[in-house]
Amino acid sequence: MSGSTTDSASEDEQSGSSEAVEPSAQADDEKVAAVRRVSEAGRRWRAAQLAGCAALLAVALTGGSIALGALRDGGGTATVASSSSAVSPGLMASGDLDTSIRAIQAHLRSQPRDFGSWATLGLAYVEQARTKGDPSRYPQAEQALKKSRELEAGNEQALAGLAALAAARHDFKGALTYADKTLKQNPYNERALSSRIDALVELGRYEEASKAADLADERRPGIPVFTRYAYVHELRGDVRTARTVLEQALATATTPGDIAYVASALGQLAWNQGDYDTALTDYARALAADDAYLPALEGRARAQAASGDRTAAIKGMEAVVARYPLPGPLVALGELYEDRGADGDKAKAQDQYALVDAWTALARANGVNADLDTAMAAADHGDKTAALKAARAEWARRHTVHTADALAWALHVNGRDKEALPYARQATATGYRNASFLYHRGIVELAAGDKKEARSHLGSALKLNPGFSPLGAREARKALKEASK
């Protein structure tokens, strides 16, 4: 992935050229090296110091509900908006997003007033930002979508693209607004139907999200809708339906990107239930379709760790982080190092956690709300006061099971367990089967003096997914013994 070329953006936009949003030729490893240099500076970097490096650092966004968000958004390019007639739909679905973007850019140089292609380019940049780990693509996506609307103010492709962009930046109210505007024009727009489900889920409006998923399934059944339909059911504890729907979606998948995407979602679902053999099989299916698909590589490493193969897990997670240092894998690798405890592992772990600080600054510099990511990482491995501030800010914006869990845990690590307890309960109220949530609730209950409830939820966490976290599972076992005295 290449860096952004923004210096001439204003001039190029006025001339109608696509150069303003065309990547340069910098190599991925240069960005990764730049991030590594940030980690050596430690946690005291400030956003102002990092701003000049924004185009160089490779960072990424875990979607809406963090780990699962990335899977729901899709891994191949098949979910990028349908392209204009000037761009081959087959190319967009081929799995080679970079080639697709270059083709669109070439077309726009000769046809700069093609509003549909500008919208498609904007959507492609949103997808590239997520899959390539480069938030500098978000301003480029915004610019391309703005250009599309300047040429044709009400075109549904641009509106759907703005919904996707808002969701990627964690502006879920904005995503819902743009999705609704799109659907007023075209009730069958697949991208808008999908974005609407995502936005409602991430706003914690689960009943509405369920109805939106049913409606989308009636209007535009297909892989983007099926995967979201499955996740809505998983959030309600209906794992059987979620897996059935995903298996059906996989049976209909034909492109490598779609196969990798759905198989990885199946792997994540199995891992959440502690079924590591099935998870490894699902990730193998994903990697057979696309051996470089990051969610599958990350998921396989987590399943390997949970299965006791720490060596393979560390090797796999190191490979993921070396390509794109995302917050989730960074924290996971740091915890794997801590759990191993070899010479130098403590320092290696701290390097990973420091990179999350760089990611947070870069994400915010490119218009992304990163409070939930900050709260979760900082609560365990950073500034606990900052974790609580971020968790409170995110809770003020949206009430989801994930934000409830984050706020409960941030309150706990700051010694405010009685205040944390209602949020810990709310995180588990929908029936969502998540071992981390159960673990957090059990720890909060133990600290608040309720040993009976603590035993129940700590035991449930370890029964559901005994390898949910290298460090968390160890602490859960220790706390369960304490609660049993």
Side-chain angles (χ1 to χ4, degrees):
M1 179 196 53
S2 41
S4 66
T5 55
T6 57
D7 292 345
S8 59
S10 177
E11 179 182 6
D12 287 336
E13 185 178 343
Q14 291 174 0
S15 66
S17 167
S18 64
E19 295 299 322
V21 287
E22 184 170 356
S24 71
Q26 270 190 304
D28 292 340
D29 55 355
E30 293 178 11
K31 290 191 174 185
V32 174
V35 181
R36 292 297 182 192
R37 288 195 294 273
V38 173
S39 71
E40 293 169 7
R43 299 180 184 275
R44 293 185 295 275
W45 279 84
R46 294 294 183 264
Q49 293 171 291
L50 290 167
C53 301
L56 296 177
L57 296 179
V59 296
L61 309 170
T62 52
S65 299
I66 315 308
L68 279 172
L71 293 175
R72 291 200 310 279
D73 288 345
T77 58
T79 55
V80 176
S82 57
S83 56
S84 71
S85 59
V87 181
S88 165
L91 184 62
M92 290 299 289
S94 68
D96 190 347
L97 185 58
D98 293 342
T99 298
S100 301
I101 287 175
R102 287 193 294 271
I104 301 169
Q105 290 167 340
H107 168 74
L108 285 169
R109 281 192 287 272
S110 62
Q111 299 292 332
R113 300 193 63 78
D114 182 348
F115 67 87
S117 287
W118 279 107
T120 300
L121 182 62
L123 277 163
Y125 278 139
V126 172
E127 182 74 358
Q128 192 178 52
R130 190 185 59 74
T131 60
K132 294 286 188 178
D134 184 2
S136 70
R137 290 293 182 260
Y138 291 131
Q140 292 177 308
E142 185 175 11
Q143 184 181 344
L145 293 166
K146 178 183 176 183
K147 183 68 177 179
S148 178
R149 294 193 75 192
E150 286 176 354
L151 293 166
E152 184 68 32
N155 79 83
E156 70 176 78
Q157 289 171 286
L159 289 172
L162 287 168
L165 175 60
R169 284 173 156 172
H170 298 182
D171 173 15
F172 299 111
K173 288 183 179 179
L176 183 59
T177 297
Y178 281 121
D180 284 341
K181 286 182 178 179
T182 308
L183 293 171
K184 283 183 180 179
Q185 291 195 38
N186 178 5
Y188 296 90
N189 185 293
E190 183 180 66
R191 169 62 73 172
L193 288 166
S194 298
S195 292
R196 190 169 195 276
I197 300 168
D198 290 344
L200 290 168
V201 165
E202 301 306 338
L203 290 169
R205 294 159 60 174
Y206 297 128
E207 287 301 319
E208 291 177 77
S210 180
K211 292 177 182 177
D214 288 339
L215 179 63
D217 188 40
E218 290 175 10
R219 291 180 177 176
R220 285 299 301 272
I223 286 173
V225 171
F226 292 159
T227 51
R228 287 161 171 85
Y229 185 94
Y231 184 62
V232 168
H233 277 269
E234 185 188 359
L235 282 172
R236 296 156 64 182
D238 188 359
V239 175
R240 178 177 296 180
T241 297
R243 186 158 192 96
T244 297
V245 171
L246 288 174
E247 288 284 9
Q248 291 173 344
L250 185 60
T252 68
T254 56
T255 68
D258 280 349
I259 294 169
Y261 166 34
V262 180
S264 292
L266 280 162
Q268 180 71 42
L269 182 64
W271 184 85
N272 281 345
Q273 313 312 310
D275 187 353
Y276 307 134
D277 288 341
T278 298
L280 287 169
T281 298
D282 289 329
Y283 289 128
R285 294 158 85 182
L287 292 169
D290 181 355
D291 61 6
Y293 188 52
L294 283 173
L297 291 170
E298 178 187 346
R300 183 177 66 179
R302 291 180 186 274
Q304 288 168 333
S307 300
D309 192 351
R310 183 198 290 148
T311 300
I314 289 177
K315 182 179 179 181
M317 202 65 78
E318 285 175 339
V320 171
V321 167
R323 287 176 56 192
Y324 303 109
L326 322 181
L330 285 169
V331 171
L333 181 57
E335 292 192 349
L336 284 169
Y337 285 142
E338 284 197 65
D339 185 54
R340 184 173 65 180
D343 289 344
D345 275 350
K346 185 175 182 179
K348 287 182 179 180
Q350 292 304 315
D351 283 345
Q352 310 313 307
Y353 305 145
L355 284 175
V356 178
D357 295 338
W359 172 83
T360 300
L362 262 292
R364 286 174 173 160
N366 284 277
V368 181
N369 165 27
D371 281 337
L372 186 56
D373 307 89
T374 300
M376 294 308 298
D380 285 323
H381 305 295
D383 185 335
K384 293 176 174 54
T385 301
L388 181 55
K389 181 180 179 181
R392 286 194 186 283
E394 194 63 23
W395 180 255
R397 281 186 285 268
R398 55 194 181 108
H399 294 180
T400 71
V401 292
H402 293 86
T403 54
D405 174 66
L407 182 52
W409 195 240
L411 286 164
H412 163 72
V413 299
N414 281 277
R416 303 170 69 164
D417 292 288
K418 290 190 182 300
E419 189 179 349
L421 193 53
Y423 297 105
R425 289 170 176 162
Q426 189 164 340
T428 58
T430 68
Y432 180 41
R433 293 167 55 81
N434 185 297
S436 291
F437 290 10
L438 292 167
Y439 159 62
H440 288 162
R441 177 171 175 174
I443 292 292
V444 169
E445 288 167 337
L446 181 60
D450 190 341
K451 287 190 174 183
K452 180 179 179 181
E453 287 297 300
R455 285 196 302 271
S456 173
H457 291 108
L458 290 168
S460 294
L462 292 169
K463 182 179 179 180
L464 174 62
N465 186 356
F468 69 90
S469 161
L471 302 184
R474 185 171 66 192
E475 289 302 313
R477 291 190 291 269
K478 180 180 175 181
L480 184 58
K481 287 183 181 180
E482 181 180 344
S484 300
K485 291 179 181 179

